[in-house]
């Protein structure tokens, strides 16, 4: 029976530590950190994420400003809002909730966010820094996954890590981080829709990270005995929430697995808070203790 990795608990601890830190810093600085979130349209999954982020901010004493924009907003309107927020000294972090409506190209928008306020870590400057081994803001889901591996003492040195999914948000930055010598020193494979023999790769993974967006696509026939599974997906099916992994099917064969819900999701939010506190401290030139990189 696999160990069920309690992401909810790890995330709660991180949030508690941040809450204490904010309490102390707010007194010195005169205000708490502030995260501004831009949400365009009515995509329902985004509504859930935005609510979770807002709640998490409020609980730790972080201001949360939501800019909920009409689906048909123009590129120039959204860019002027971002420029205004870049200049706003009361705002430490800015995020644009993805996905965006089809007429808005995400890269044209993300590149306008000030890299100093890019708490999602999606700006090309921050992604470039990550790639050369000097990360500033690490994208939140990859950062959450690294934190899980670290807190669970899962060895990564020389491990065969197989990532399913090559998104700009998860697969690509995570692969880059995991192959870095001082972070994980793993052997990393990314599989995607063009991969010829998926089973060949998934069956030799010591650590399998699944971010495909396809509900329950990984079953026990696709993994080796004792693998560690990190499930990034979340889907609402008539019978309830599930991930990209068929949890009940694999749980006897895997050594450890992140559940859905309560695995990677809460860690992503916790890392967003952490990045925002980092931006806030940098904004006020307080030395950031980069202890975990
Ligand atoms: N949509 C899905 N995940 C994310 C995320 O981490 N950040 C943003 N901004 N949008 C997302």
């Amino acid at each position: 029976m696999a160990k069920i990795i309690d992401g909810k608990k790890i995330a709660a601890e991180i949030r508690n530590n941040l809450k204490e830190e904010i309490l102390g810093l707010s007194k010195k600085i005169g205000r708490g950190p502030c995260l501004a979130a831009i949400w365009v349209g009515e995509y329902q999954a985004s509504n859930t994420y935005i609510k979770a982020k807002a709640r998490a901010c409020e609980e730790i004493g972080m201001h949360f400003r939501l800019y909920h924009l009409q689906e048909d907003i123009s590129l120039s309107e959204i860019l002027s809002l971002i420029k205004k927020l870049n200049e706003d000294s009361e705002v430490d972090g800015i995020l644009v909730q993805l996905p965006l409506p089809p007429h808005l190209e995400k890269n044209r928008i993300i590149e306008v966010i000030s890299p100093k306020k890019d708490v999602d870590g999606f700006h090309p400057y921050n992604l470039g820094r990550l790639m050369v081994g000097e990360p500033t803001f690490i994208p939140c889901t990859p950062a959450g996954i690294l934190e899980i591996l670290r807190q669970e003492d899962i060895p990564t040195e020389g491990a065969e890590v197989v990532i399913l999914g090559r998104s700009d948000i998860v697969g690509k930055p995570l692969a880059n981080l995991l192959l870095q010598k001082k972070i994980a020193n793993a052997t990393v494979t990314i599989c995607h829709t063009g991969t010829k023999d998926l089973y060949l790769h998934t069956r030799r993974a010591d650590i399998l990270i699944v971010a495909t967006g396809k509900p329950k696509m990984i079953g026990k026939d696709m993994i080796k005995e004792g693998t560690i599974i990190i499930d990034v997906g979340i889907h609402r099916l008539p019978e309830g929430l599930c991930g990209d992994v068929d949890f009940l099917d694999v749980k006897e064969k895997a050594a450890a697995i992140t559940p859905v819900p309560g695995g990677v999701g809460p860690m992503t939010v916790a890392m967003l808070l952490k990045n925002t506190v980092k931006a806030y401290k940098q904004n006020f030139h307080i030395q950031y203790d980069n202890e975990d990189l």
Side-chain angles (χ1 to χ4, degrees):
M1 171 72 191
K3 175 181 183 193
I4 316 290
I5 298 172
D6 195 346
K8 209 170 150 185
K9 186 169 158 216
I10 304 172
E13 246 177 65
I14 294 170
R15 290 200 306 272
N16 275 339
N17 291 340
L18 290 171
K19 187 176 179 172
E20 263 183 43
E21 193 177 5
I22 290 172
L23 204 63
L25 287 171
S26 304
K27 282 185 200 141
K28 261 198 243 166
I29 290 169
R31 71 160 178 87
C34 175
L35 173 64
I38 300 173
W39 172 28
V40 186
E42 298 296 334
Y43 182 63
Q44 272 321 295
S46 294
N47 188 14
T48 312
Y49 293 134
I50 288 284
K51 277 190 189 149
K53 290 171 185 179
R55 201 177 329 115
C57 286
E58 279 152 22
E59 273 172 21
I60 64 161
M62 184 180 285
H63 304 289
F64 182 81
R65 278 201 217 163
L66 175 62
Y67 295 84
H68 189 184
L69 310 176
Q70 300 267 355
E71 178 93 26
D72 60 357
I73 190 143
S74 68
L75 177 65
S76 66
E77 282 172 293
I78 196 167
L79 295 187
S80 19
L81 170 61
I82 293 173
K83 286 174 191 162
K84 208 173 78 191
L85 295 172
N86 283 343
E87 296 301 314
D88 188 334
S89 62
E90 300 280 302
V91 171
D92 302 294
I94 302 169
L95 72 84
V96 176
Q97 189 63 33
L98 301 175
L100 287 163
H103 70 284
L104 296 171
E105 210 186 316
K106 80 170 167 50
N107 290 346
R108 298 293 76 74
I109 292 175
I110 288 165
E111 67 193 6
V112 175
I113 299 173
S114 161
K116 290 193 173 101
K117 297 193 179 187
D118 170 40
V119 288
D120 258 333
F122 295 165
H123 189 285
Y125 172 82
N126 287 319
L127 288 171
R129 299 242 355 172
L130 180 152
M131 193 153 177
V132 295
E134 293 177 348
T136 42
F137 295 114
I138 297 180
C140 306
T141 302
I145 293 169
L146 290 183
E147 191 62 29
I148 286 174
L149 296 177
R150 194 157 28 213
Q151 296 232 11
E152 293 293 312
D153 285 325
I154 294 166
T156 56
E157 179 79 30
E160 290 288 340
V161 179
V162 176
I163 301 174
L164 307 192
R166 60 179 151 190
S167 71
D168 294 339
I169 295 180
V170 183
K172 281 193 237 167
L174 181 58
N176 231 291
L177 290 158
L178 286 167
L179 63 83
Q180 288 178 32
K181 203 169 183 176
K182 65 180 176 182
I183 294 180
N185 213 17
T187 300
V188 184
T189 305
I190 306 189
C191 298
H192 47 78
T193 49
T195 299
K196 283 203 184 107
D197 187 348
L198 191 59
Y199 281 57
L200 176 85
H201 297 288
T202 58
R203 280 207 195 120
R204 57 173 186 75
D206 299 318
I207 302 173
L208 181 64
I209 300 170
V210 192
T212 58
K214 297 200 181 99
K216 299 187 187 179
M217 76 163 277
I218 301 297
K220 64 172 182 292
D221 55 329
M222 294 184 78
I223 60 166
K224 72 174 181 189
E225 192 83 40
T227 196
I228 309 241
I229 303 182
I230 307 288
D231 188 350
V232 181
I234 183 156
H235 311 274
R236 195 176 293 278
L237 298 185
E239 62 270 28
L241 292 176
C242 74
D244 292 350
V245 176
D246 188 340
F247 182 88
L248 294 178
D249 196 50
V250 303
K251 78 176 193 321
E252 302 301 331
K253 199 171 177 187
I257 182 167
T258 59
V260 178
V264 173
M267 292 300 293
T268 297
V269 178
M271 293 298 129
L272 174 67
L273 303 175
K274 198 167 173 188
N275 277 349
T276 308
V277 170
K278 182 174 178 175
Y280 164 67
K281 286 156 86 172
Q282 283 175 348
N283 202 3
F284 288 95
H285 310 293
I286 293 171
Q287 181 67 44
Y288 184 72
D289 178 10
N290 207 3
E291 85 278 356
D292 45 15
L293 279 177

